[in-house]
């Protein structure tokens, strides 16, 4: 059975911020990603499972994604990018699927309505437009909506057994304030998408 690896861009979420979470006196702040829950349709619930199975955070927050076929135009753009870099095109460095964020229609409708108010406040010239296909307003809303999160690649079968690391991180308990963190300008992540990703 084929296996796939995927990279997901958490920066697509509405209002996402890279922040420094303060800790105790004399301790360096912890850089982290803050994702607003409601505007992104994320339900956060207490984790009431048995203590041995409960998340260390004390909550559960699922998101749903789906793998969708890539368009021929997108695949060709990725292949051209690889060839420009002098890399060989293989089954393993060209996306097999795109990873898309899925929301129930009811949540999508509410989020789009909230974004419509915000965008109309920023663009009074669109006050008479509706969120219907082809309008500037609809395009602006769609651009902000989280959807395409990344790509999924076929994994080359290995003869050696894979080893996994289980890394535990400290849990932040009380958030009283934060400051903006500076993202590292490094695109060398092992599963990072290609630079030629096109926003279709």
């Amino acid at each position: 059975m084929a296996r796939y690896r995927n990279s997901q861009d958490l920066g697509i979420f509405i209002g996402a911020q890279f922040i420094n979470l303060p800790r105790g006196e004399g301790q360096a702040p912890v850089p982290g990603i803050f994702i607003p829950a409601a505007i992104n349709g994320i339900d956060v619930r207490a984790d009431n499972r048995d203590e041995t199975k409960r998340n260390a955070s004390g909550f559960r927050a699922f998101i749903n994604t789906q793998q969708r076929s890539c368009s021929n135009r997108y695949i060709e753009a990725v292949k051209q990018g690889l060839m420009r870099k002098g890399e060989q095109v293989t089954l393993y460095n060209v996306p097999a699927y795109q990873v898309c964020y899925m929301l129930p229609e009811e949540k999508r409708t509410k989020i789009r309505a909230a974004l419509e108010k915000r965008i109309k406040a920023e663009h009074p010239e669109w006050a008479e437009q509706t969120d219907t296909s082809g309008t500037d307003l609809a395009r602006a809303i769609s651009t902000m909506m989280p959807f395409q999160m990344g790509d999924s690649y076929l994994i080359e079968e290995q003869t050696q057994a894979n080893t996994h690391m289980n890394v535990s991180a400290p849990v932040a308990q009380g958030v009283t304030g934060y400051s903006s963190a500076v993202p590292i300008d490094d695109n060398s992540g092992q599963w990072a998408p290609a630079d030629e990703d096109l926003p279709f």
Side-chain angles (χ1 to χ4, degrees):
M1 185 172 141
R3 295 181 305 133
Y4 298 89
R5 60 179 168 84
N6 63 64
S7 62
Q8 299 185 15
D9 180 6
L10 300 182
I12 70 158
F13 288 103
I14 301 165
Q17 296 178 49
F18 186 47
I19 64 171
N20 283 315
L21 184 69
R23 293 197 294 170
E25 190 173 334
Q27 294 181 300
V30 180
I33 298 169
F34 170 74
I35 298 173
I39 191 63
N40 288 292
I42 302 170
D43 291 324
V44 181
R45 300 181 183 187
D47 189 349
N48 297 319
R49 294 176 296 172
D50 181 83
E51 191 173 332
T52 59
K53 297 178 181 177
R54 189 178 309 150
N55 290 337
S57 64
F59 66 84
R60 305 183 89 189
F62 292 97
I63 64 167
N64 295 314
T65 61
Q66 179 185 61
Q67 291 190 149
R68 291 188 174 187
S69 297
C70 301
S71 70
N72 289 333
R73 183 179 170 198
Y74 184 72
I75 294 294
E76 284 307 312
V78 172
K79 287 179 179 178
Q80 292 298 320
L82 290 168
M83 288 188 283
R84 276 196 302 274
K85 294 179 192 173
E87 295 182 29
Q88 184 178 359
V89 174
T90 71
L91 290 174
Y92 311 108
N93 63 2
V94 174
Y97 298 100
Q98 290 183 315
V99 180
C100 300
Y101 181 46
M102 304 304 294
L103 280 171
E105 191 57 35
E106 179 184 338
K107 284 186 178 181
R108 289 191 74 77
T109 301
K110 287 181 180 177
I111 293 169
R112 290 188 74 90
L115 292 176
E116 180 176 349
K117 288 180 185 176
R118 173 177 160 183
I119 291 169
K120 282 185 173 180
E122 295 170 358
H123 293 274
E125 68 276 18
W126 297 346
E128 301 305 315
Q129 291 188 16
T130 58
D131 181 12
T132 51
S133 181
T135 65
D136 292 327
L137 175 65
R139 277 191 290 274
I141 293 170
S142 294
T143 299
M144 295 182 73
M145 289 288 293
F147 181 62
Q148 186 181 329
M149 297 188 71
D151 294 322
S152 201
Y153 298 83
L154 183 65
I155 296 175
E156 189 169 6
E157 293 299 326
Q158 302 290 332
T159 54
Q160 298 176 342
N162 291 331
T163 57
H164 300 283
M165 287 185 4
N166 185 4
V167 181
S168 298
V171 178
Q173 293 298 333
V175 179
T176 56
Y178 66 85
S179 62
S180 295
V182 178
I184 298 169
D185 187 14
D186 178 14
N187 291 323
S188 62
Q190 185 177 8
W191 309 124
D195 292 339
E196 285 74 27
D197 282 353
L198 301 176
F200 296 122

